[in-house]
Amino acid sequence: MPHIDPEPHPVKRWRAALPLCLLLIAGAVLLASGVLDRFDPHHLLAEEGLLRGTITAHPLTSRLAYAGILTLAIATGVPGTIVIVLAGGLLFGAVEGTALSSLALVLGSLVLYLASRYAFGTGRREPPALARRLRDGFAAHPVTYTLALRFIPVVPLGAMTVALAWLRCPLWLFVGATWLGGTVSLFVESSVGAGLGETFASGAPVTAASFLNSRILLPLAAFTLLTILPLLVKTVRMRLGRKG
C-alpha cells in the first residue's frame, strides 16, 4: 500500500486557513477604523432625527445597509456587536430590529463557521487527549451543548462560532441553534435598544457593558438552564445508578 502522509503539506494548511485569517484581519481593521463608534448610543440619539429621515426616504436601502454591516461585523468576529443590535432596536423597533439582526446573525455566523471548518478540516494528526474528551462529550450531546453555548451571553459570539466549528458541530444544528438562541438574545437586546431614549432620560450612564445586566442575563440564564437541564438529570441518574 502507498504511504499516506498523516499531515497535509504546510502550503495546504495555510491555504485552508487563509479565509479565516482574512476574516479575522478584516475584523481587526474594522475595529481599528472606528466605524463601530458611530453606533455608540450617545451618537445615535444625537442624530436620531436625521437617521429616521434617511430610513423613511430609503426604507429598503437602509435596512439592507444595517443588516449588511451587522453581518460583516459578525462574520469577522468583531466583539461588541451588541451596540449595533441596540441601534437596530432604536431605529427599527424591537420586532423589526430583531428580524433584521437575526438574519444578519445567521448569515454572518455561517460565513465564519464555514471558514473555520475549512481551516480545521485539513489536520489529520491525532488531537490531544483534552480535545478528544471535549469532542466526544459534544458528540454525545450535540444539541444540548450547542444550544447551551449559544444561550451564554458572556462568551464572544465569534469565539463561540469558531469553537463550535472546531468541535465539528453539524451544519444543520449550528444554523438552527444560532437562529434559535440568537433570536432570543437579539429580541431582548433590541427591546433594550428600542427604549434607549427613556434610558438616557433617566440620566444613567450608558455603555455596552451596562446592558449586560439582569434584564438580559436573567432571561438568558433561564433559557440556558432549561437547555442543559435534561443533560444534568441524565448525569445525576447515571451517578445514582452506579452507587446503587
Side-chain angles (χ1 to χ4, degrees):
M1 295 180 61
H3 174 71
I4 300 178
D5 187 0
E7 272 296 299
H9 193 276
V11 174
K12 291 184 178 179
R13 290 203 301 269
W14 279 107
R15 187 179 302 166
L18 183 60
L20 178 60
C21 291
L22 290 177
L23 286 176
L24 297 179
I25 292 173
V29 172
L30 183 65
L31 194 62
S33 68
V35 172
L36 298 183
D37 293 341
R38 296 189 61 83
F39 293 93
D40 179 85
H42 297 82
H43 181 83
L44 286 174
L45 286 175
E47 298 187 357
E48 184 179 3
L50 176 61
L51 292 172
R52 291 191 182 279
T54 302
I55 291 173
T56 301
H58 308 281
L60 180 59
T61 303
S62 59
R63 285 162 173 79
L64 290 176
Y66 169 77
I69 292 172
L70 183 55
T71 298
L72 178 62
I74 293 173
T76 54
V78 172
T81 52
I82 183 175
V83 295
I84 306 179
V85 177
L86 292 172
L90 173 66
L91 298 175
F92 302 106
V95 175
E96 188 175 2
T98 299
L100 292 171
S101 297
S102 181
L103 175 62
L105 172 67
V106 173
L107 293 177
S109 297
L110 183 59
V111 171
L112 183 57
Y113 170 86
L114 292 175
S116 301
R117 280 297 299 263
Y118 186 59
F120 299 143
T122 58
R124 300 177 184 174
R125 180 181 299 171
E126 188 70 14
L130 176 60
R132 288 200 305 272
R133 286 197 296 271
L134 289 174
R135 285 179 173 175
D136 289 344
F138 178 84
H141 308 280
V143 176
T144 298
Y145 278 106
T146 302
L147 287 175
L149 290 174
R150 273 307 186 206
F151 277 125
I152 297 175
V154 295
V155 180
L157 179 62
M160 193 54 60
T161 298
V162 174
L164 288 172
W166 179 79
L167 287 169
R168 298 172 184 171
C169 176
L171 179 60
W172 67 268
L173 177 57
F174 175 82
V175 173
T178 296
W179 176 81
L180 177 61
T183 300
V184 171
S185 305
L186 291 171
F187 180 74
V188 178
E189 295 166 3
S190 297
S191 299
V192 173
L196 273 178
E198 298 178 2
T199 302
F200 271 90
S202 67
V206 180
T207 62
S210 68
F211 292 106
L212 292 178
N213 54 29
S214 59
R215 290 179 297 176
I216 294 180
L217 293 179
L218 290 181
L220 295 182
F223 278 113
T224 303
L225 180 61
L226 290 175
T227 301
I228 65 176
L229 187 60
L231 179 59
L232 293 176
V233 172
K234 182 178 180 180
T235 301
V236 171
R237 285 181 176 178
M238 290 178 60
R239 291 186 177 180
L240 291 177
R242 291 175 184 175
K243 292 182 180 180

